[in-house]
Amino acid sequence: VRHDDGPDPGGPAALVLAGRAWRGGRLEPVEIAVGEDGRIRSVGRVRDAGRRHDVGDRVILPAATDLHVHFRDPPGPTGVESIATGTVQAALGGVGLVGEMPNTSPEVSSVDALDAKEARVRGRAAVDVLLYASPGSPSALGALAARAGAFKLYLSPTTGIDRPVPPEELPGLLGRLAGLGLPVTVHAEDPSRFLDPRKAENPAAWNRARPPAAEEAAVERLLKAAPPALRVHVAHVTVPSLVTKLRSAGVSFEATPHHLLLEAKAKADARFKVNPPLRGPAERTGMWEAFRAGQIPCVASDHAPHALDRKQGPFDLAPSGVPGVETMLPLLLAEVRRGEVPLPVVLSSLCDRPARWLGQPMGRIAPGHRANLLVVDFRARSTVRADRLHAPAGWTPFEGREAIFPVEHWRDGERIVADGEFVGRPGGTVVRPDFAPQPP
Ligand SMILES: [Zn+2]
């Protein structure tokens, strides 16, 4: 049985990708016709095939969207990443669109800073980039919103953010943002609930210093202050009780692979220092159960690499953050292979929902969507090893874990990864949300 999405309009397609895809509740053979515009034209039987690329019984998936990365471009004196290197990792990890956060130096809180950042994407990005902005001065907010892809707010200090949004300013700011229509992502930790973090010397102590209660208090404050019209999304949720709370409030949120897969250990070093902290087994297991049950709308990497010597120095001086854009989808595809999570859950939380949240016509294999597609061989399991990854930082918190990397990655019907190697050109562009009705 084939599930044809309407008749193929006919005429030669620019490309026909043939393989298997998840359709109607199972993997079945498909032919995906791609038009000259790089959009999917039909899915099903193609009458008049042009250039045909047959991947046999390998699986064609939509490329993922990573809502949350820090490529820190320009890199500053301690930087180990850039838009060029970060987007190649994204491409190799099956991520076709990244949301780049604004806490660079200088912070992206003005139209000038946004222009400068856009100039750094053009001709350098392997995949598309959506640029977040920090709100900056209230009088310039409208001009900034006309250019930015989304906003990011910090309710607590973190890397590059010394002045979080003061509690008394939050309701007014959210009110102004609600009228602008852009998605708003919030880093929700309440610093008044932190213990003295300078005393923390390992990831388990870091978890006690920035406890789950700090996240719960910040989300409480956010839900009270957020007007109904605001498109608000909570970054890196680590506490199962918040999954229930945010779902019943109808608020979007994400979990990260590191909070889903790793736990805070007293014997680990500052490579595992991240904000919010890695949690204990109860929270980690609860988050994983919620994820596999399809209760977590989005997974995002919060890719935030730092040089190894800074991460292996004194814990209190080490910066927070782990790399992850290249391993996010591959780690979870390995979990699919092991039967730990259903494939449709991974497709929803890494491909479909994040793309929808940012107003992008991708993340589904359906007519009208961009032909941003992956080819995956579920038999080709490998082991994550930092020296086989492409992060200039040269380390990963997932060393030794099983992963399934995409064999191919297509951007708008053009192949950018073949046999697991980047073969594309830096043709990624800056995209902005379009919340007009998307193709079904
Ligand atoms: Zn972040």
Side-chain angles (χ1 to χ4, degrees):
V1 179
R2 285 183 183 242
H3 299 263
D4 288 359
D5 288 343
D8 179 35
L15 167 75
V16 175
L17 260 177
R20 291 191 301 153
W22 186 266
R23 296 180 44 80
R26 63 196 185 94
L27 288 173
E28 61 171 37
V30 289
E31 293 176 328
I32 301 166
V34 179
E36 295 289 351
D37 58 357
R39 299 266 177 147
I40 296 173
R41 212 170 68 176
S42 67
V43 184
R45 238 182 347 263
V46 177
R47 281 196 300 267
D48 191 1
R51 184 161 68 101
R52 190 180 164 86
H53 183 73
D54 194 330
V55 300
D57 67 350
R58 289 173 173 180
V59 178
I60 304 172
L61 303 177
T65 290
D66 191 343
L67 292 173
H68 188 159
V69 304
H70 301 265
F71 290 161
R72 302 216 180 84
D73 199 336
T78 56
V80 288
E81 192 69 275
S82 68
I83 295 215
T85 58
T87 53
V88 166
Q89 292 163 68
L92 291 165
V95 171
L97 169 64
V98 293
E100 160 70 357
M101 288 299 171
N103 57 329
T104 34
S105 170
E107 195 178 352
V108 180
S109 56
S110 68
V111 170
D112 283 353
L114 204 54
D115 279 346
K117 188 99 157 210
E118 269 200 47
R120 300 187 70 85
V121 173
R122 255 176 266 124
R124 295 175 75 223
V127 300
D128 287 348
V129 180
L130 178 138
L131 296 175
Y132 286 81
S134 296
S137 90
S139 60
L141 202 55
L144 195 56
R147 296 287 309 283
F151 283 105
K152 175 77 179 280
L153 306 184
Y154 290 88
L155 304 189
S156 73
T158 191
T159 308
I161 298 293
D162 301 325
R163 188 186 171 277
V165 181
E168 65 279 9
E169 290 177 18
L170 183 65
L173 177 58
L174 294 179
R176 288 193 295 279
L177 289 169
L180 299 171
L182 286 187
V184 176
T185 288
V186 179
H187 179 126
E189 286 182 287
D190 180 345
S192 73
R193 305 294 180 102
F194 292 171
L195 311 177
D196 187 353
R198 285 166 304 179
K199 295 202 179 93
E201 286 171 349
N202 61 63
W206 191 244
N207 176 25
R208 292 190 293 274
R210 296 175 74 124
E215 244 181 282
E216 289 167 327
V219 167
E220 195 71 41
R221 194 146 58 78
L222 175 67
L223 292 180
K224 273 208 191 89
L230 186 73
R231 290 179 193 270
V232 66
H233 171 96
V234 180
H236 39 51
V237 168
T238 71
V239 188
S241 66
L242 289 179
V243 172
T244 314
K245 175 159 277 184
L246 290 165
R247 278 169 62 80
S248 58
V251 168
S252 179
F253 61 97
E254 76 203 20
T256 72
H258 46 276
H259 291 114
L260 291 172
L261 296 171
L262 305 175
E263 291 170 5
K265 300 254 167 59
K267 288 205 167 126
D269 65 20
R271 281 175 299 162
F272 297 89
K273 182 181 183 185
V274 61
N275 297 332
L278 298 182
R279 302 301 188 192
E283 285 92 1
R284 207 280 302 167
T285 309
M287 290 301 291
W288 180 262
E289 290 302 324
F291 171 58
R292 67 188 299 190
Q295 293 170 358
I296 294 189
C298 300
V299 171
S301 73
D302 196 6
H303 177 87
H306 299 280
L308 194 54
D309 59 342
R310 298 185 73 213
K311 289 293 264 180
Q312 288 185 314
F315 193 91
D316 60 333
L317 299 179
S320 293
V322 297
V325 69
E326 189 175 359
T327 48
M328 174 172 73
L329 178 66
L331 287 166
L332 294 175
L333 290 179
E335 299 291 340
V336 168
R337 175 75 173 79
R338 286 166 5 166
E340 294 292 335
V341 58
L343 179 59
V345 167
V346 170
L347 296 182
S348 171
S349 58
L350 275 76
C351 308
D352 185 35
R353 297 285 293 270
R356 257 140 245 261
W357 178 251
L358 295 179
Q360 299 301 312
M362 56 182 281
R364 292 182 191 179
I365 299 180
H369 283 66
R370 293 176 60 185
N372 290 354
L373 300 167
L374 310 173
V375 176
V376 169
D377 184 346
F378 276 94
R379 291 159 300 208
R381 285 176 282 178
S382 64
T383 302
V384 172
R385 279 192 18 205
D387 60 6
R388 289 190 204 143
L389 296 176
H390 299 76
W395 63 278
T396 168
F398 301 109
E399 186 78 29
R401 294 190 80 102
E402 195 173 69
I404 297 175
F405 289 88
V407 187
E408 298 180 13
H409 184 159
W410 297 71
R411 185 191 62 223
D412 297 324
E414 179 185 328
R415 192 156 60 159
I416 59 172
V417 171
D419 295 327
E421 298 293 332
F422 184 70
V423 297
R425 55 187 178 85
T429 58
V430 174
V431 299
R432 298 190 68 247
D434 179 359
F435 291 113
Q438 299 283 354

